[in-house]
Amino acid sequence: MSEHTIIPVHPQSAEYSLLTPSQLQAMTRRAERDPDGFWLDQAERIHWHSNPTRAFCGSFQDDVEINWYHDGTLNASVSCIDSHLGDRADQVALISHRDGTDEAEKLTYRMLHERVCRLANALQHLGVSRGDRVAISLPMVSEAPIAMLACARIGAVHVVLFGGLSAEAIAERLVDSGARVVITANEIARGAKRIPLKHIMDEALKKAGAESAVETVLVLRTTDAPVAMLPERDLDFHDFVDWFEPDCIPEIMNAEDPLFLLYTSGSTGKPKAVVHTTGGYMVWAAYTMGMVYTHRPNDVLWCTADVAWITGHTSVVYGPLANGSTTMMFDGLPSYPQPGRWWELIERHKVTMLFTAPTAIRSLMREGDDLVNRYDLSSLRLLGTAGEPISPDAWMWYHDVVGKGRCPVVDTWWQTETAGIMLGPIPGAQKLKPGSATMPLPGVSMVLTDTKGDVIEGAGEGCLCVTRSWPGQARTLWKDHARFQQTYFSFSPGLYFTGDGARRDADGYYWITGRMDDVINISGHRIGTAEIEEAVGADRRITECAAVGVPHSVKGQALVVFAIARDEQTSITPEDITRQVSLAIGRYAAPDEVFIVPDLPRTRSGKIVRRLLRKIASGELDTLGDLSMLSDADSVDMLINTVWKEEQTLNVA
Ligand code: WT7
């Protein structure tokens, strides 16, 4: 398999695609020629209260200001729900399947409307109003999208927090976002695994203390596990919410009012909250999912991402609902109670579009083809992937074994900051190349540059940048516009730098080569090495440390930490360091390997050479390169000994 493998346009996808190859070209040219007209047309994909008359008005240079559709008004919950009540009120909007059970909750658009309105009224009763932040930390149950849409209905800004975060990480986010209400559950239960969400939230609120603005915690009981309630602060979700009216007048929002904050990791410092606003985000969710997923009314889209990530926001909630599809959520593990669980669910719910991460595909692939072949997957018509590079062999397995060669595989490249797909194929209008996220969507103006920011024409490899704003672009970082500008626009004036590197072949197809900054991607989780190093360095027994990502056959990358103990007498073990990271960030960020070392390789000016650490940890000892710039070349031998001689069982291969 090489980049020369070309999968022709799928005949059956042509039947679904809205565009022929020549129409796609015409659309791309139109978007180039008349971006304003193009994006105003795309805005018609969603329901507005009053239509916008301008598309982009802002600046991509100097003082960066991202502003779209500024005179339009809308409510995102109306675009997702009420706008469908006329013609598909009784169509299922949401299927939510619980772990270990045969039961699925199915909510029609009418039922979803009722549930969202009750919660919206309840939040209003608690004093939540326009612009207030509400933190949501829930399992993958229907109350998660309901909570997001209820916030949207009253103009509150949702902040969904990942269930794997530690109390300390949650506390930081509660304080930073200034959330007034928290919506959580007693626990997450998947297979034998339990995460006591409410207990962790209690700890977080204790840590945050007076710095937190949280007044009320709504607690959903998803299992029978007992839960401690603080009478003056905590309310049982259903006991409280079910009393409210099933109708709620939507707050009319300006296009540029924030819809949500979402925390993500960067190459420096603590995680930051990306701000997405209402109009541009909704258009982007509807446009990108509509173009690449070509939604039809009877489609059942199962995106396996957690709602706490951007993929969950856009591909589980806003995208499918804005397009009037059925979205499915599953709160469970792929292999519980039996290894064919995912395939069983596809057969049972007649899923037409499956969207998952390469990590999941790699681990399902390991279970073998027979398991997949035992199920009837004929309902599938489209397969999607995102979040990390997918190797051509995993792509082909997905295509041949899961899709039986019938379904196009859409590898889509995007980020928390882009809100939706930027690179990805339009099925039926484009040939596919396994391992390539294909090309920018019409209207997305992507370039490759060298490290100085000079644009590379034609085939080549460089830094992936965007030259023009797009409606779904993050507007700023919460309370820190200077950091926004610095992070994304300081690379080269007038360009948004994605942080990724890519190669472009002679046909104009893009091949993502991975992050160029200190962000790593473990099983699709984005983690900044700076936050890991900060967590490890917070232990006084450590003087210095370095975290690096190394290739891993299932997880994409594995996290390896090197740490220097304060002195030889200090007793600190790798387990202490792992615990420290779990406490500061969460168990999902725990290092795969920790090495306590006497020193780290440095340049003469004292800078740690992480490139060498990556090579040593991944066993690429033959290509260490020139070591003459090191202040102490002997330290390299010592490191190799520590990693490869004493530790025979390095499990990151
Ligand atoms: C980073 C963004 C898809 C949104 C969820 C992740 C990497 C994303 C691909 C892809 C190769 C990919 C990039 C990007 N990435 N999609 N199709 N091929 N790499 O959002 O957590 O903000 O992470 O994920 O490195 O910068 P995120």
Side-chain angles (χ1 to χ4, degrees), residues 479-642:
K479 297 193 295 198
D480 201 349
H481 196 63
R483 186 172 172 198
F484 177 73
Q485 198 145 320
Q486 168 66 28
T487 307
Y488 306 104
F489 292 89
S490 62
F491 170 70
S492 177
L495 287 183
Y496 165 87
F497 176 41
T498 62
D500 280 40
R503 195 157 45 79
R504 189 174 46 219
D505 68 20
D507 297 332
Y509 279 60
Y510 285 75
W511 303 73
I512 303 294
T513 52
R515 297 289 301 200
M516 299 180 82
D517 53 11
D518 293 319
V519 170
I520 57 176
N521 193 323
I522 300 174
S523 301
H525 291 154
R526 174 169 159 182
I527 297 171
T529 51
E531 55 183 303
I532 301 283
E533 290 170 9
E534 191 174 319
V536 175
D539 190 314
R540 291 198 53 255
R541 291 171 295 178
I542 295 297
T543 53
E544 218 174 352
C545 65
V548 295
V550 299
H552 185 281
S553 57
V554 174
K555 304 196 311 179
Q557 282 187 300
L559 175 64
V560 179
V561 170
F562 295 88
I564 306 175
R566 189 161 290 280
D567 54 55
E568 280 179 14
Q569 273 74 49
T570 305
S571 72
I572 182 156
T573 63
E575 291 71 35
D576 293 333
I577 290 182
T578 301
R579 195 171 322 115
Q580 178 67 21
V581 176
S582 303
L583 285 175
I585 302 171
R587 280 223 299 269
Y588 75 100
D592 296 83
E593 287 289 344
V594 177
F595 297 105
I596 313 277
V597 292
D599 201 3
L600 291 165
R602 298 164 202 279
T603 60
R604 289 181 208 284
S605 60
K607 231 177 137 223
I608 297 172
V609 188
R610 288 183 172 70
R611 180 185 56 80
L612 260 182
L613 292 174
R614 267 192 293 274
K615 291 230 168 201
I616 293 172
S618 51
E620 295 171 45
L621 304 181
D622 297 340
T623 54
L624 294 182
D626 181 13
L627 303 180
S628 64
M629 78 306 185
L630 297 183
S631 63
D632 172 14
D634 292 346
S635 68
V636 173
D637 285 339
M638 173 277 300
L639 267 177
I640 294 175
N641 276 332
T642 313

Side-chain angles (χ1 to χ4, degrees), residues 34-55:
D34 171 24
D36 259 17
F38 177 79
W39 289 121
L40 279 176
D41 284 355
Q42 297 311 321
E44 290 175 14
R45 287 175 183 264
I46 60 159
H47 179 276
W48 294 80
H49 180 72
S50 60
N51 290 324
T53 62
R54 285 284 304 280

